[in-house]
Amino acid sequence: MGSFLAVMALAALLGGMLFFGAVMTPLVFSQLPPETAGPFIRAAFPRYYLFMVIASALAALGLLIRGNPWYALAAVMITGVTLWLWIEWLPHLNALRDAGNQDEFARGHRLSVWVNGAEFLAVLLLLAGIAV
């Protein structure tokens, strides 16, 4: 049961992250006017982070049941970092954008992209590690 839960949750997490970053966001910004695209993506981010928190927490549970405590700890760390992005960093970025502070917003956005990329890589490595 733990193996199934871990694989399904990690695969869903990896697929969701890939879809949001590689398909949804570019599609929204290429097909909608900026005054619509920005608020739309802004509204999507809390749902994206909620999905990531649930999937990574389920992966941690599955990995723990499976007997991979270090992998489970990594999944818990992904959950924690995602919670930080959602609860602390996203409102900070929104406040910077609302204040018209584009330079600080751009720096903060770059950081969130790098953190998300690191999480994606970690999920990929976890999935590869349990597939072997």
Side-chain angles (χ1 to χ4, degrees):
M1 181 64 186
S3 292
F4 179 77
L5 181 59
V7 168
M8 294 305 291
L10 288 170
L13 182 55
L14 191 69
M17 293 175 78
L18 185 60
F19 178 78
F20 190 82
V23 177
M24 186 174 160
T25 302
L27 180 65
V28 166
F29 281 105
S30 70
Q31 298 298 309
L32 296 175
E35 62 275 2
T36 304
F40 182 86
I41 287 297
R42 194 174 186 172
F45 264 108
R47 290 163 179 86
Y48 170 67
Y49 287 138
L50 175 62
F51 170 78
M52 286 183 63
V53 165
I54 292 169
S56 59
L58 287 173
L61 178 62
L63 289 163
L64 197 58
I65 292 169
R66 188 178 191 268
N68 297 105
W70 292 110
Y71 283 24
L73 179 60
V76 166
M77 290 174 64
I78 292 166
T79 305
V81 169
T82 303
L83 282 168
W84 172 77
L85 285 169
W86 182 14
I87 294 168
E88 295 291 329
W89 199 244
L90 187 60
H92 173 69
L93 288 178
N94 289 339
L96 290 172
R97 169 138 353 234
D98 292 344
N101 193 341
Q102 291 305 321
D103 290 341
E104 287 298 315
F105 173 80
R107 278 193 280 280
H109 181 262
R110 266 193 308 279
L111 174 64
S112 69
V113 168
W114 279 99
V115 170
N116 204 272
E119 287 183 313
F120 181 84
L121 181 59
V123 172
L124 182 63
L125 292 172
L126 285 172
L127 191 55
I130 63 173
V132 175

